[in-house]
């Protein structure tokens, strides 16, 4: 087993499912101890156990990433138990409500922005004081919907939150470089996860048809969406010293979907 992250400590938000889960397992396979930040769910227990089975330490913290007090407390719990943070993967996110802008309620807008964008800010903010001494790597999950693809009709709040994450990551990369903290943002295309489970699609959204060579949702490299494990390999690279000169970069992982 590769031990390139031996004895490192990672905080991963949204670690109970999809991209966060796959990345937690991939980092653990490479020697990392994992702090799982997520809403309480039986899936998170399963991830915690799988990390233990790999011989690593894992800690689940029940935290809503949009709640400043709970994020601060969660980080404090990590420090009490592990004494440090080397890697942050700010990944928790929701699609939120899919609706035309005129029908989108301010409450729905706030929910999406609070989880995706404010949650990223809070996770990074409270981790920074514990990373300044030794440096580290911060990875943020945005989306192709934040910068390259704007044809997912009804997802204006989601796209705005994802674009905000890209700008935030670049500001953070510059601000934190003096502490040897690297910050990068990944932009996945469609990935087969559970994100659709809590998506509100009850409202009517008129689709504008765009002629494409490939069926909707397909990626030139794949017949369907990508897999969370493929994203986890990128997260692993950005978390490891193998990417020691990479910071402030947005990396697309979309099977060439945004070339269509
Ligand atoms: P997922 O639903 O499988 O996992 C998301 C996790 O985030 C869940 O475990 C959920 O409980 C957690 N979460 C949601 N709200 C939270 C909150 N307030 N506090 C703490 N945890 C919370 O979805 P996924 O696809 O793995 O999503 C991970 C990230 O990837 C998201 O930021 C999403 O926007 C992004 N993304 C996904 C896709 C895709 O096609 N799946 C594409 C591009 C970007």
């Amino acid at each position: 087993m590769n031990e390139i992250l031996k004895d490192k400590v990672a905080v991963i938000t949204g670690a109970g499912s999809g991209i966060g889960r796959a990345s937690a397992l991939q980092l653990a396979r490479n020697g990392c101890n994992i702090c799982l930040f997520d809403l309480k769910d039986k899936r998170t227990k399963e991830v915690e156990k799988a990390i233990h089975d790999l011989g690593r330490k894992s800690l689940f913290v029940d935290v809503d990433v949009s709640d400043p007090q709970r994020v601060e407390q969660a980080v404090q719990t990590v420090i009490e138990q592990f004494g440090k943070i080397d890697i942050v993967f700010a990944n928790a996110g929701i699609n939120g409500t899919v609706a035309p802008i005129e029908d989108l309620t301010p409450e729905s807008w706030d929910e999406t922005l609070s989880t995706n964008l404010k949650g990223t800010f809070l996770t990074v903010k409270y981790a920074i004081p514990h990373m300044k001494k030794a440096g580290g790597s911060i990875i943020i999950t945005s989306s192709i919907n934040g910068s390259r693809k704007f044809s997912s009709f009804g997802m204006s709040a989601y796209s705005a939150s994802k674009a905000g994450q890209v700008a935030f990551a670049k500001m953070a990369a510059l601000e934190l470089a003096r502490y040897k903290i690297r910050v990068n943002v990944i932009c996945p295309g469609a990935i087969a996860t559970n994100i659709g489970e809590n998506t509100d699609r009850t409202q009517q959204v008129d689709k504008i048809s765009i002629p494409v060579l490939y069926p909707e949702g397909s990626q030139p490299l794949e017949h369907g969406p990508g897999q969370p494990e493929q994203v986890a390999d990128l997260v692993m690279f950005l978390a490891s010293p193998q990417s020691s000169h990479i910071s402030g970069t947005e990396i697309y992982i979309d099977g060439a979907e945004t070339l269509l």
Side-chain angles (χ1 to χ4, degrees):
M1 197 181 282
N2 194 336
E3 301 265 298
I4 195 167
L5 297 182
K6 188 167 167 36
D7 297 330
K8 299 285 185 196
V9 175
V11 166
I12 301 183
T13 71
S17 177
I19 293 168
R21 175 189 180 278
S23 301
L25 295 176
Q26 179 68 319
L27 265 58
R29 276 185 216 105
N30 284 275
C32 200
N33 299 313
I34 311 288
C35 304
L36 312 150
F37 284 17
D38 207 315
L39 305 169
K40 206 174 175 72
D41 186 290
K42 62 177 186 317
R43 288 195 283 232
T44 320
K45 282 270 152 228
E46 178 262 321
V47 184
E48 205 181 2
K49 183 179 176 310
I51 293 167
H52 280 144
D53 291 347
L54 288 166
R56 311 300 174 203
K57 292 182 193 142
S58 81
L59 169 73
F60 165 61
V61 191
D62 175 11
V63 55
D64 176 344
V65 294
S66 67
D67 181 331
Q69 280 183 340
R70 287 181 62 189
V71 178
E72 186 175 19
Q73 276 166 13
V75 168
Q76 204 46 49
T77 305
V78 172
I79 297 306
E80 281 159 19
Q81 299 225 7
F82 291 93
K84 63 170 185 170
I85 297 172
D86 302 294
I87 296 156
V88 170
F89 183 29
N91 165 77
I94 55 170
N95 281 342
T97 298
V98 180
I101 295 167
E102 62 187 311
D103 297 332
L104 190 65
T105 64
E107 293 74 22
S108 302
W109 173 274
D110 283 348
E111 186 196 12
T112 305
L113 272 286
S114 295
T115 304
N116 297 356
L117 186 53
K118 186 178 172 194
T120 296
F121 156 65
L122 293 173
T123 307
V124 171
K125 169 185 165 59
Y126 290 115
I128 288 171
H130 309 288
M131 299 178 79
K132 277 162 94 171
K133 210 166 137 200
S137 175
I138 295 173
I139 303 139
I140 293 169
T141 308
S142 173
S143 164
I144 56 171
N145 292 90
S147 49
R148 277 196 183 168
K149 185 181 176 188
F150 296 99
S151 56
S152 302
F153 295 101
M155 298 194 74
S156 56
Y158 182 78
S159 287
S161 73
K162 293 289 153 184
Q165 286 178 304
V166 174
F168 175 75
K170 292 183 181 197
M171 292 291 297
L174 204 51
E175 193 174 311
L176 301 176
R178 76 191 85 164
Y179 307 116
K180 299 286 179 220
I181 300 173
R182 298 182 296 110
V183 186
N184 291 290
V185 56
I186 63 170
C187 304
I191 305 294
T193 69
N194 299 307
I195 199 158
E197 271 179 16
N198 298 317
T199 306
D200 178 356
R201 291 188 186 275
T202 50
Q203 310 216 35
Q204 180 69 32
V205 181
D206 291 332
K207 291 223 169 190
I208 299 166
S209 111
I210 298 174
V212 286
L213 280 173
Y214 299 87
E216 189 183 331
S218 76
Q219 300 173 341
L221 265 184
E222 312 279 349
H223 293 297
Q227 297 303 316
E229 290 72 19
Q230 293 174 302
V231 183
D233 285 338
L234 174 59
V235 174
M236 175 59 212
F237 170 67
L238 291 172
S240 81
Q242 288 174 335
S243 59
S244 61
H245 201 47
I246 301 179
S247 191
T249 299
E250 59 197 278
I251 300 183
Y252 292 85
I253 175 157
D254 67 354
E257 184 179 341
T258 46
L259 300 182
L260 289 175

